[in-house]
């Protein structure tokens, strides 16, 4: 059973990342009095009910994310199982309005695994961007990014971290094989020799491990990446949040008291990191409650091409969401030798706007796209080719995806916490 107060605190960052309105989920959290079961007042029931309300309102993607929160942090009974099924089902309905998104089955060690993909073409294969979340984020949480990837001239895939969501895989020492299996499956429909991985949290650890062995991977972008000390530092492990420890134990398939001993051999040491021959870009948070500061220091001293941004924030840097989203996309662009320089320039301007919180008029004078400071933005990149005489133009639009800003979301969550 989860610690309910801890669970409510940790779900807020994920609600922010999905642009769920703070005034809605704050009151929803107040209604939840039980972690288990599937009746009014239980965690799954209240999130599913919110998802059903969104479905009735025609907000299919928002409904998908409410259902996703209902199975958070992992499926441990019929209620969360129902929430996951609703999450996947509503995403299926949403993608029918986005015909460029398809389901692809990948064989990983003989086990079929479903991923979502876009931009695949045997006639015109593109470089590939593969995305995965961490130990609590199913692929449906990130799949709405897929329609945006074409603007980069890339094909895209979102996959579950092993054991998360629909994934039948076990998180184990060979979990990194997910990435080369995806590349093998898409060879001929994507330029897999030019693959980039955008892998968050524990997904970044797997991505580095895969990149050390597969030269088709040309760059990795992470956020809150564990590499060594998380796996080996027993003093740090004693303070890791219960929800993180229990989720890891569920994915690994051992009792919570045994999980840190089981994952200890999976640590990447200095020699491993020095062997990384490709760029690694990552976001680090100075108040990260999950990843120890020693892991960031190890990256600094051992990765030869490290592109690091640090924030005074907690795991995942939710208070810097708008900036992190643009920065992550820009990091991929800067790794690509064939990236469209107009898109790179526009993303660079958008990043500066996100960092400075420039007013729309100031941003316009600077040639940047306005970004509301601190807002929970969904980055939508469009390359618009329009003739201006004989020249082509490109623009990047950073569009608001929800009514609530990240700041409003944090305030709403704080109010909910204060009211409990």
């Amino acid at each position: 059973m989860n610690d309910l107060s801890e669970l409510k605190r940790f779900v807020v960052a994920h609600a922010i990342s999905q642009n769920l309105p703070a005034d809605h989920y704050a009151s929803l959290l107040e209604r939840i009095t039980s972690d288990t079961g599937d009746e009014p007042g239980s965690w799954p029931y209240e999130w599913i009910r919110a998802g059903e309300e969104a479905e009735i309102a025609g907000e299919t993607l928002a409904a998908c994310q409410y259902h996703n929160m209902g199975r958070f942090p992992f499926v441990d009974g019929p209620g969360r199982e129902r929430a996951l099924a609703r999450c996947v089902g509503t995403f299926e309905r949403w993608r029918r309005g986005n015909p460029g998104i398809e389901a692809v089955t990948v064989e990983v060690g003989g086990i079929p695994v479903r991923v979502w993909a876009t931009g695949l073409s045997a006639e015109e294969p593109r470089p590939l961007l593969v995305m995965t979340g961490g130990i609590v984020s199913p692929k449906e949480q990130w799949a709405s990014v897929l329609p945006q990837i074409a603007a980069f001239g890339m094909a895209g895939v979102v996959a579950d971290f092993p054991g998360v969501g629909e994934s039948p895989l076990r998180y184990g020492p060979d979990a990194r094989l997910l990435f080369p299996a995806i590349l093998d499956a898409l060879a001929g429909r994507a330029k897999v020799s030019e693959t980039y991985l955008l892998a968050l949290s524990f997904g970044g650890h797997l991505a580095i491990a895969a990149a050390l062995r597969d030269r088709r991977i040309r760059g990795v972008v992470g956020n809150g990446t564990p590499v060594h000390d998380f796996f080996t530092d027993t003093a740090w492990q004693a303070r890791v949040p219960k929800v993180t420890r229990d989720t890891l134990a569920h994915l690994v398939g051992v009792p919570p008291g045994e999980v840190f001993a089981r994952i200890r051999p999976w640590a990447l040491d200095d020699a491993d990191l020095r062997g990384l021959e490709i760029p690694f870009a990552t976001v680090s948070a100075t108040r990260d409650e999950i990843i120890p500061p020693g892991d960031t220091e190890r990256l600094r001293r051992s990765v030869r091409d490290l592109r690091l941004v640090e924030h005074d924030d907690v795991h995942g840097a939710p208070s810097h969401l708008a900036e992190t989203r643009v920065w992550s996309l820009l990091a991929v662009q800067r790794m690509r030798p064939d990236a469209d320089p107009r898109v790179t320039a526009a993303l660079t301007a958008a990043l500066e706007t996100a960092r400075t919180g420039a007013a729309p008029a100031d941003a316009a004078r600077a040639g940047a796209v306005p970004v509301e400071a601190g807002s929970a933005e969904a980055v939508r990149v469009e390359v618009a080719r329009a003739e201006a005489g004989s020249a082509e133009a490109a623009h990047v639009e950073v569009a608001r995806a929800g009514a609530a800003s990240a700041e409003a979301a944090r305030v709403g969550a704080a109010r909910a916490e204060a009211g409990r």
Side-chain angles (χ1 to χ4, degrees), residues 229-239 260 264:
D229 290 11
F230 178 86
F231 298 91
T232 62
D233 186 339
T234 56
W236 181 268
Q237 290 165 354
R239 56 186 283 187
F260 289 119
R264 184 181 181 87

Side-chain angles (χ1 to χ4, degrees), residues 57 69 95 115 136 146 177-178 185-186 204 212-213 221 258 284 287 294 310 312 321 349 368 370 390 394 412:
M69 297 301 128
R95 81 176 180 98
V115 302
V136 296
L146 287 173
L177 296 176
L178 170 67
L186 300 184
L212 288 170
R213 298 164 174 84
V221 178
E258 299 176 15
S284 177
R287 291 182 286 113
E310 258 188 324
D312 179 16
L321 180 63
S390 60

Side-chain angles (χ1 to χ4, degrees), residues 27-109:
S27 60
L28 184 157
L29 289 173
E30 289 180 334
R31 294 197 301 269
I32 296 175
T33 58
S34 171
D35 171 59
T36 59
D38 192 9
E39 61 281 331
S42 71
W43 184 274
Y45 180 92
E46 295 299 338
W47 285 105
I48 292 171
R49 184 172 74 168
E52 291 171 344
E53 292 171 354
E55 289 183 68
I56 292 170
E59 300 172 353
T60 309
L61 191 56
C64 174
Q65 301 310 337
Y66 279 112
H67 294 315
N68 171 30
M69 297 301 128
R71 56 92 246 159
F72 183 91
F74 58 87
V75 173
D76 61 355
R80 284 185 167 87
E81 185 174 10
R82 183 168 75 95
L84 175 61
R86 294 297 293 270
C87 172
V88 175
T90 51
F91 180 82
E92 286 271 21
R93 288 195 292 278
W94 175 81
R95 81 176 180 98
R96 285 199 285 270
N98 294 273
I101 300 175
E102 62 178 289
V104 175
T105 299
V106 175
E107 294 284 332
V108 184

Side-chain angles (χ1 to χ4, degrees), residues 51-352:
E52 291 171 344
E53 292 171 354
E55 289 183 68
I56 292 170
E59 300 172 353
T60 309
L61 191 56
C64 174
Q65 301 310 337
Y66 279 112
H67 294 315
N68 171 30
M69 297 301 128
R71 56 92 246 159
F72 183 91
F74 58 87
V75 173
D76 61 355
R80 284 185 167 87
E81 185 174 10
R82 183 168 75 95
L84 175 61
R86 294 297 293 270
C87 172
V88 175
T90 51
F91 180 82
E92 286 271 21
R93 288 195 292 278
W94 175 81
R95 81 176 180 98
R96 285 199 285 270
N98 294 273
I101 300 175
E102 62 178 289
V104 175
T105 299
V106 175
E107 294 284 332
V108 184
I111 300 173
V113 177
R114 183 163 76 156
V115 302
W116 301 116
T118 192
L120 302 178
S121 171
E123 291 74 27
E124 297 181 12
R126 299 174 170 183
L128 181 64
L129 176 62
V130 180
M131 298 180 60
T132 182
I135 61 174
V136 296
S137 305
K139 62 187 181 299
E140 289 74 23
Q141 184 164 326
W142 312 109
S144 62
V145 177
L146 287 173
Q148 308 158 17
I149 292 177
F152 292 91
M154 303 183 79
V157 168
V158 290
D160 289 314
F161 186 93
V164 175
E166 290 188 304
S167 173
L169 303 176
R170 180 69 73 189
Y171 180 30
D174 294 328
R176 60 177 174 77
L177 296 176
L178 170 67
F179 293 114
I182 291 172
L183 273 56
D184 292 344
L186 300 184
R189 300 184 68 197
K191 198 179 293 185
V192 297
S193 61
E194 298 176 24
T195 293
Y196 300 84
L197 307 182
L198 178 50
L200 308 180
S201 191
F202 288 83
H205 174 263
L206 294 189
I208 293 173
L212 288 170
R213 298 164 174 84
D214 194 326
R215 292 186 175 273
R216 295 175 295 181
I217 299 170
R218 308 298 293 274
V220 176
V221 178
N223 184 340
T225 308
V227 288
H228 181 275
D229 290 11
F230 178 86
F231 298 91
T232 62
D233 186 339
T234 56
W236 181 268
Q237 290 165 354
R239 56 186 283 187
V240 167
K242 181 178 184 296
V243 64
T244 302
R245 184 201 64 186
D246 291 355
T247 302
L248 281 171
H250 170 77
L251 298 178
V252 174
V254 298
E258 299 176 15
V259 67
F260 289 119
R262 179 66 64 90
I263 68 175
R264 184 181 181 87
W266 308 348
L268 299 171
D269 60 23
D270 286 357
D272 293 322
L273 296 174
R274 284 194 294 269
L276 191 64
E277 298 177 351
I278 59 172
F280 177 56
T282 191
V283 175
S284 177
T286 58
R287 291 182 286 113
D288 198 317
E289 66 278 45
I290 297 174
I291 309 305
D295 276 348
T296 299
E297 293 307 313
R298 191 174 296 273
L299 290 171
R300 278 199 178 97
R301 69 173 180 259
S302 299
V303 175
R304 66 182 73 182
D305 188 352
L306 177 66
R307 306 171 187 190
L308 174 70
V309 61
E310 258 188 324
H311 293 303
D312 179 16
D313 210 336
V314 296
H315 185 69
S319 299
H320 298 79
L321 180 63
E323 177 183 343
T324 297
R325 282 176 163 167
V326 182
W327 183 87
S328 299
L329 295 171
L330 180 58
V332 174
Q333 280 292 97
R334 286 175 170 168
M335 291 176 183
R336 296 177 56 205
D338 61 342
D340 187 331
R342 298 164 304 173
V343 175
T344 303
L347 277 172
T348 301
L351 177 60
E352 182 61 24

Side-chain angles (χ1 to χ4, degrees), residues 335-415:
M335 291 176 183
R336 296 177 56 205
D338 61 342
D340 187 331
R342 298 164 304 173
V343 175
T344 303
L347 277 172
T348 301
L351 177 60
E352 182 61 24
T353 305
R355 283 176 169 168
T356 61
D362 295 336
R365 283 194 295 272
V369 179
V371 180
E372 183 181 357
S375 60
E377 307 291 343
V379 178
R380 178 162 56 89
V381 181
E382 298 178 351
V383 178
R385 302 186 180 276
E387 290 191 0
S390 60
E392 289 186 325
H395 73 272
V396 175
E397 178 183 347
V398 181
R400 186 182 309 168
S405 69
E407 181 63 24
R410 292 191 296 276
V411 170
R415 288 174 178 165

